[in-house]
Amino acid sequence: MQEDFIHYLWKFKVLSGLVLKTTAGQPVSIKTLGTHNHHAGPDFFNARLRIGDQLWAGNVEMHVRSSDWYRHGHDDDPAYDNVVLHVVWKHDAEISRRSEIHIPVLEVGPLVPDDLILSYTRLFAYKNNQFINCENSISHVDPFLVKMWLEKVFLQRLEQRNERLARTLKHYKNDWEALFFQMLCRAFGTKVNADAFEQLATSIDQSVVRKLARDAFQLEAVLMGQAGLLTSSFNDRYYSQLEQEYAYAKAKYQLPPVHTSLKLFRLRPANYPTVRLSQLAMLYHKNPLLLGEVILAKTREEIHQLFEVKAAAYWDDHHLFDKPTAHREKNLSANFIDLLIINCIVPVKFAFARYNGKENQEELLELMASLPVEKNTIVSNFKKLIPLENALDSQAVIHLKNNYCDPNKCLHCDIGVRLMRE
């Protein structure tokens, strides 16, 4: 048994209509349930209850056993001084506040119908050897409910990312261009080199990026140099030119040294750091005020037009210095731009709107719905269970798996709650 189950009983009024009494025999009448607290402190704030002849307004705390009150240190915590009712599955100890005044206890274990306990047990029965707890029953849930829940979960994912972006923005003293450049660099690094590319971005002041963007070659040289790609010795004219340009810019702008560790193992030529950095330089040369253009772009097509760039001509037949390859232009592919939209552009657009006191949820939901489903293990496994139609769905199930399924928060999930009622 988990505390989440007791939260479920309370939150969804499963106890309504039952004769409720405290362990001391006082009748309990629930006037209002209170607000579910998902952070530190009592589980439900500002409930209104009649216990015996007294009407109470205060907080409600829940545990599997009454003795958990002491095990969790609540008897010495002022945050629990306003608890007016302790709801437990099994009563095994009298509990009190710091003032040593006893708190009424409602024991719910004996009150819960057997069929509800069976539904709860069945939901968690296979959690040790299944992808998700409900994989044998999720297909029975109304597809409309699933769709609405995935949309809600995706918005939760954006809210979560917004909190991280707000902290980063504060670090950049509210310079949105600098924040976007960091986010974009990280996305260009892909999963393999994301951290190294982000470190590179933080080493160059945004005012310097804007100046260098007037000349794509200069910006490419600085990006390559700061990434540590110009520390070798090649008999290659393009390399030598980049090296000279970087040495000049490094001294002029007093660029700090960066100790990045780029990974090249098992990368496709299109994802080599050399190619991605050249594309990034071309992108900022084409659109010096890129963030403003991105904020104004509403559709996938408009964003793809902004990101239609190719690496410098040298990279048409190279992906490493001094090693010619078959000729192929290194354009930003449609698939890669879609990933930029998912991992960088949508989170930044959401955060920018929030910062300016605006809402753009519908716009972003439409944008995500226009993108194809992503390909990864979590998405592939969910596709075996429920239809996934677009990137909104795939982003939602990633968040669902990591924040609900894996930590067994099924009773906080609309799908799990529906299955409990069947």
Side-chain angles (χ1 to χ4, degrees):
M1 186 57 59
Q2 298 179 3
E3 286 182 21
D4 279 357
F5 185 52
I6 307 172
H7 296 171
Y8 166 82
L9 298 175
W10 186 267
K11 187 174 182 178
F12 292 96
K13 303 180 181 179
V14 177
L15 304 176
S16 297
L18 299 178
V19 177
L20 304 179
K21 291 185 177 182
T22 68
T23 54
Q26 291 183 303
V28 177
S29 175
I30 304 171
K31 302 302 182 182
T32 58
L33 299 171
T35 304
H36 197 178
N37 172 36
H38 297 284
H39 305 288
D43 295 311
F44 285 82
F45 287 142
N46 303 320
R48 294 181 68 250
L49 313 166
R50 183 174 292 279
I51 303 175
D53 296 326
Q54 178 70 47
L55 184 64
W56 294 88
N59 304 328
V60 178
E61 176 65 359
M62 300 177 181
H63 288 118
V64 175
R65 296 176 180 273
S66 303
S67 56
D68 291 339
W69 178 272
Y70 296 109
R71 193 172 295 113
H72 296 169
H74 299 335
D75 58 313
D76 196 36
D77 189 340
Y80 293 83
D81 285 348
N82 290 329
V83 170
V84 296
L85 183 66
H86 192 207
V87 182
V88 301
W89 185 259
K90 182 176 178 60
H91 179 55
D92 65 345
E94 297 298 330
I95 58 106
S96 61
R97 304 185 187 94
R98 291 188 305 160
S99 60
E100 298 185 358
I101 297 176
H102 285 303
I103 300 174
V105 177
L106 174 63
E107 184 180 33
V108 298
L111 305 176
V112 179
D114 290 341
D115 59 343
L116 189 60
I117 296 176
L118 180 62
S119 295
Y120 173 79
T121 304
R122 188 184 300 121
L123 187 59
F124 291 95
Y126 307 104
K127 66 180 180 180
N128 291 326
N129 55 11
Q130 291 197 160
F131 171 61
I132 57 174
N133 291 333
C134 65
E135 70 177 54
N136 291 330
S137 50
I138 189 173
S139 60
H140 302 152
V141 178
D142 181 359
F144 180 76
L145 182 147
V146 173
K147 194 72 175 175
M148 291 301 97
W149 175 234
L150 291 184
E151 183 175 300
K152 189 185 301 183
V153 169
F154 170 71
L155 292 174
Q156 289 177 10
R157 185 169 178 81
L158 282 185
E159 294 282 3
Q160 190 179 82
R161 289 184 169 185
N162 182 52
E163 292 178 5
R164 294 198 297 268
L165 289 179
R167 292 192 294 270
T168 305
L169 182 65
K170 187 176 181 180
H171 169 76
Y172 282 120
K173 299 180 180 179
N174 296 333
D175 186 339
W176 278 96
E177 289 284 356
L179 171 67
F180 185 59
F181 182 67
Q182 177 188 316
M183 289 282 291
L184 200 58
C185 279
R186 183 175 181 85
F188 264 75
T190 68
K191 186 176 182 179
V192 175
N193 285 307
D195 290 340
F197 270 48
E198 182 175 350
Q199 188 179 359
L200 157 66
T202 59
S203 74
I204 312 173
D205 189 89
Q206 189 58 32
S207 62
V208 175
V209 174
R210 284 192 285 268
K211 292 175 183 177
L212 292 171
R214 300 167 188 165
D215 186 319
F217 183 76
Q218 287 184 351
L219 182 54
E220 181 179 337
V222 168
L223 294 177
M224 296 277 187
Q226 289 298 98
L229 293 171
L230 301 178
T231 58
S232 302
S233 179
F234 294 114
N235 185 23
D236 184 293
R237 183 169 177 268
Y238 191 73
Y239 178 89
S240 298
Q241 290 173 331
L242 287 172
E243 192 176 33
Q244 292 171 12
E245 192 67 47
Y246 173 60
Y248 172 77
K250 184 178 181 181
K252 179 179 180 180
Y253 297 110
Q254 297 183 324
L255 299 174
V258 182
H259 303 288
T260 58
S261 181
L262 293 171
K263 300 172 185 176
L264 306 179
F265 186 60
R266 290 184 177 177
L267 286 178
R268 295 186 301 109
N271 280 331
Y272 263 70
T274 48
V275 174
R276 290 302 184 203
L277 291 175
S278 181
Q279 291 168 334
L280 188 61
M282 291 295 183
L283 178 63
Y284 268 88
H285 176 62
K286 174 186 176 184
N287 299 298
L289 301 176
L290 184 59
L291 176 61
E293 299 282 354
V294 165
I295 295 300
L296 292 174
K298 306 296 184 186
T299 66
R300 181 192 185 197
E301 291 72 21
E302 289 172 343
I303 295 172
H304 274 246
Q305 289 176 6
L306 288 176
F307 283 76
E308 282 184 358
V309 296
K310 62 182 289 294
Y314 174 84
W315 303 108
D316 289 348
D317 47 23
H318 291 81
H319 56 268
L320 289 172
F321 291 111
D322 204 28
K323 292 185 179 179
T325 61
H327 185 88
R328 182 180 180 182
E329 291 188 350
K330 304 299 193 303
N331 300 287
L332 283 181
S333 69
N335 288 339
F336 186 75
I337 299 173
D338 285 342
L339 289 176
L340 295 178
I341 295 173
I342 294 168
N343 297 314
C344 174
I345 293 172
V346 166
V348 169
K349 284 169 75 74
F350 180 81
F352 187 81
R354 278 294 175 86
Y355 180 83
N356 289 285
K358 299 178 181 179
E359 292 292 335
N360 61 348
Q361 293 183 2
E362 290 303 318
E363 172 196 326
L364 298 182
L365 290 174
E366 290 182 14
L367 177 57
M368 291 296 294
S370 71
L371 304 175
V373 176
E374 298 161 87
K375 296 179 181 179
N376 57 54
T377 302
I378 291 177
V379 172
S380 297
N381 283 324
F382 264 104
K383 285 180 73 174
K384 299 174 185 175
L385 307 175
I386 55 176
L388 300 180
E389 300 174 352
N390 48 52
L392 190 157
D393 293 341
S394 56
Q395 281 285 289
V397 295
I398 292 170
H399 189 82
L400 186 65
K401 180 71 164 63
N402 294 330
N403 294 273
Y404 289 88
C405 305
D406 287 351
N408 291 315
K409 291 187 175 181
C410 302
L411 298 183
H412 296 269
C413 168
D414 285 5
I415 296 170
V417 169
R418 178 54 59 91
L419 290 172
M420 285 290 293
R421 296 176 177 176
E422 291 186 352

